């Protein structure tokens, strides 16, 4: 299941009101000229820079490559076709998943080659996908942000299916099976250091414009199961009031240290995170959003997303606001203003994650059958100057655009290409 599949599943856990959710590219010479961006209503505001991104998922070959084991030339053609579509849609950034399951889309000294390239974990694919991706993205004046999942090891619970040299087999004490998956234990300092080292190898060796984490920290709750971190909590958690506070501190350390280490290596490289959009409900915490979510990142995922913004540990945040305007349990029109207020005065840039994959899906509520729903989202965002862009999930839907929702966004809001914020 993709990360968005889990977001959808998490959304299904809402209250009963919820129905069955080097030089950077921006600085390169000859970039697109600033454009006047219409608001779709009201007074136009000239926006010289705006983030227009698309997520490109590689886990279980969601977006790219279309299947494992393709010849290198075909994989390259598929990737450049996605980049060309991004340019055609007047986007300016691609967030490419390069470490989906404790593996790598580059020759990493820490982890094996991804099975999503060849079909066999650890097998050399015959080329360097990350080097190619960076070069081809920058050639098209697209930023390339490397998307990493910090803790997921495998979408199964059998360590024997991992390559024998996999760090999870060498260090079985790092591993926790949960929810049908193998995960690294965030409560172990050695795990935190290792996953940072593995991810930062790509930062050191490639001209990435950004490092991007998704919404997986401690795992989404699974009914009837518990994440067994008792030994780590007994060893490291004594100074905390409860396990939840200790878990939040573990993730805080990951975020803070990762950001610091990125800046020490390459100060221009951005660090961003795309969390599940509900930090806490207002009924739980007066500072929370006017929502009735069954999942709250602070309480359920050990992810104090509001703190990361207020402490300025990250450069940008992309909450996955994957619901329509007027949705009772998590209204897009209420979450966007909450996030705008959260980032105000921090210098952290706010981009809004958009559920393009829902547009035209017959299983989705009626608003998603209207090709104009997504365009209305951007009109609403433009009423909040803190919102500096939008990111679409995922590349496959950017290409297919079954009901024309993306084309409508381009027509209404993207008259010309613009540079990303800096």
């Amino acid at each position: 299941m993709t990360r968005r599949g889990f977001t959808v599943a998490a959304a299904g856990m809402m209250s009963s009101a919820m129905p069955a959710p080097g030089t950077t590219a921006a600085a390169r010479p000859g970039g697109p000229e600033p454009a006047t961006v219409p608001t779709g209503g009201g007074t136009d505001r000239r926006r010289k820079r705006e983030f227009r991104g698309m997520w490109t998922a590689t886990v279980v070959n969601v977006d790219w490559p279309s299947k494992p084991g393709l010849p290198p030339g075909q994989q390259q053609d598929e990737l450049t076709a996605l980049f060309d579509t991004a340019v055609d849609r007047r986007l300016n950034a691609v967030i490419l998943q390069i470490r989906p399951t404790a593996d790598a889309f580059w020759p990493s000294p820490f982890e094996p080659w991804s099975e999503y390239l060849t079909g066999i974990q650890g097998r050399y694919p015959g080329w360097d996908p990350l080097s190619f991706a960076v070069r081809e993205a920058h050639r098209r004046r697209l930023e390339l942000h490397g998307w990493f999942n910090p803790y997921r090891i495998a979408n199964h619970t059998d360590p024997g299916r991992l390559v024998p040299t996999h760090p999870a087999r060498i260090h079985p004490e790092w591993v926790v099976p949960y929810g049908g998956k193998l995960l690294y234990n965030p409560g172990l300092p050695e795990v935190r250091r290792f996953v940072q080292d593995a991810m930062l190898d790509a930062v050191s060796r490639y001209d990435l414009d950004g490092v991007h984490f998704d919404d997986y920290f401690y795992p989404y709750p699974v009914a009837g199961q518990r994440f067994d971190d008792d030994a780590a909590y007994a060893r490291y958690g004594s100074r905390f009031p409860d396990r939840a506070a200790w878990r939040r501190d573990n993730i805080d350390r990951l975020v803070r240290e990762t950001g610091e280490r990125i800046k020490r290596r390459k100060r221009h490289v951005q660090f961003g995170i795309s969390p599940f959009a509900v930090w806490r409900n207002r009924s739980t915490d007066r500072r929370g959003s006017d929502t009735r979510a069954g999942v709250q990142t602070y309480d359920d995922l050990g992810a104090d997303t509001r703190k990361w913004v207020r402490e300025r540990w990250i450069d940008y945040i992309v909450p996955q606001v994957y619901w329509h305007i007027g949705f009772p349990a998590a209204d897009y029109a209420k979450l966007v203003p909450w996030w705008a207020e959260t980032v105000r005065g921090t210098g952290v840039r706010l981009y809004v994650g958009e559920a393009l994959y829902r547009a035209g899906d017959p299983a989705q509520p009626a608003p998603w059958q209207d090709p104009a729903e997504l365009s209305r989202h951007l009109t609403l965002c433009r009423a909040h100057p803190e919102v500096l862009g939008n990111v679409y999930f995922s590349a496959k839907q950017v290409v297919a655009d079954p009901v024309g929702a993306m084309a409508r966004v381009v027509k209404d809001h993207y008259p010309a290409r613009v540079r990303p914020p800096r």
Side-chain angles (χ1 to χ4, degrees):
M1 184 182 291
T2 72
R3 79 182 181 120
R4 265 44 184 208
F6 274 101
T7 298
V8 172
M13 298 164 65
M14 294 280 189
S15 67
S16 58
M18 184 174 207
T23 303
T24 66
R28 295 177 195 281
E33 293 301 315
T36 300
V37 183
T39 62
T43 304
D44 284 357
R45 183 173 73 251
R46 188 171 181 83
R47 179 172 283 175
K48 295 182 178 180
R49 291 181 180 267
E50 177 177 57
F51 197 88
R52 303 172 182 174
M54 73 177 185
W55 280 290
T56 302
T58 59
V59 64
V60 297
N61 301 99
V62 168
D63 291 313
W64 176 79
S66 60
K67 62 181 180 180
L70 297 175
Q74 188 172 345
Q75 292 183 347
Q76 292 168 4
D77 289 346
E78 288 185 353
L79 188 60
T80 55
L82 292 177
F83 289 175
D84 288 341
T85 298
V87 172
D88 290 343
R89 300 294 194 186
R90 299 174 189 152
L91 306 183
N92 55 27
V94 174
I95 300 173
L96 177 64
Q97 193 173 36
I98 59 174
R99 184 182 183 265
T101 51
D103 51 11
F105 273 66
W106 74 97
S108 169
F110 295 95
E111 294 176 310
W113 282 103
S114 177
E115 66 179 297
Y116 305 123
L117 287 165
T118 64
I120 299 175
Q121 188 178 73
R123 174 176 288 180
Y124 173 51
W127 63 302
D128 184 341
L130 185 52
S131 177
F132 179 85
V134 169
R135 181 176 68 252
E136 294 301 317
H138 289 170
R139 182 176 293 171
R140 292 162 174 79
R141 303 190 192 102
L142 294 165
E143 287 195 349
L144 198 288
H145 293 232
W147 165 12
F148 303 83
N149 185 291
Y151 295 119
R152 182 173 56 203
I153 300 170
N155 289 317
H156 57 76
T157 57
D158 181 6
R161 290 171 59 184
L162 304 175
V163 65
T165 56
H166 197 292
R169 293 189 67 176
I170 295 171
H171 298 281
E173 70 278 8
W174 291 1
V175 179
V176 180
Y178 180 83
K181 303 186 181 303
L182 295 175
L183 306 169
Y184 282 128
N185 187 345
L188 299 177
E190 56 269 36
V191 163
R192 186 170 67 250
R193 183 72 186 190
F194 171 78
V195 298
Q196 289 175 11
D197 289 346
M199 295 183 292
L200 288 165
D201 178 66
V203 175
S204 297
R205 297 168 56 192
Y206 298 88
D207 188 18
L208 292 172
D209 297 290
V211 169
H212 187 92
F213 286 178
D214 54 26
D215 51 317
Y216 289 136
F217 298 99
Y218 278 89
Y220 281 92
V222 176
Q225 297 190 33
R226 62 182 295 274
F227 187 81
D228 184 6
D229 56 0
D230 291 354
Y233 180 50
R235 184 172 182 181
Y236 299 109
S238 60
R239 67 184 180 87
F240 295 90
D242 53 38
R243 191 183 305 239
W246 170 71
R247 286 180 173 179
R248 281 190 294 274
D249 183 72
N250 293 328
I251 305 303
D252 283 351
R253 288 171 184 266
L254 172 77
V255 171
R256 185 182 70 250
E257 292 170 4
T258 300
E260 291 171 349
R261 294 183 67 185
I262 290 169
K263 299 305 182 187
R264 285 199 296 268
R265 280 163 175 74
K266 294 182 179 177
R267 188 151 195 86
H268 70 274
V269 173
Q270 304 168 74
F271 181 31
I273 296 178
S274 55
F276 183 78
V278 178
W279 172 69
R280 299 188 96 184
N281 297 319
R282 186 175 297 171
S283 59
T284 305
D285 187 320
R286 61 180 178 78
R287 300 169 297 173
S289 52
D290 184 12
T291 50
R292 299 191 300 278
V295 170
Q296 303 169 85
T297 65
Y298 180 94
D299 302 277
D300 297 304
L301 308 183
D304 191 350
T305 54
R306 181 179 181 274
K307 180 179 181 179
W308 306 341
V309 170
R310 306 305 293 182
E311 295 290 341
R312 307 181 187 189
W313 291 341
I314 56 179
D315 296 303
Y316 68 85
I317 194 160
V318 193
Q320 297 175 30
V321 191
Y322 281 0
W323 307 288
H324 60 263
I325 295 171
F327 182 59
D331 187 347
Y332 187 98
K334 292 181 178 179
L335 278 162
V336 168
W338 185 88
W339 279 104
E341 171 63 26
T342 296
V343 304
R344 190 171 300 144
T346 65
V348 175
R349 293 184 290 278
L350 172 61
Y351 314 137
V352 177
E354 302 290 344
L356 177 61
Y357 71 94
R358 290 188 156 195
D361 182 346
Q364 299 301 326
W368 289 108
Q369 311 311 314
D370 182 355
E373 172 68 19
L374 211 59
S375 180
R376 285 191 287 268
H377 288 193
L378 270 71
T379 298
L380 188 151
C381 287
R382 296 265 161 76
H384 300 277
E386 296 83 5
V387 180
L388 297 178
N390 304 78
V391 184
Y392 304 93
F393 190 82
S394 64
K396 184 183 297 184
Q397 283 78 27
V398 171
V399 171
D401 196 21
V403 295
M406 191 71 215
R408 179 68 177 266
V409 165
V410 175
K411 176 179 179 293
D412 292 349
H413 301 281
Y414 297 165
R417 293 186 75 194
V418 297
R419 293 175 178 174
R422 275 291 173 177

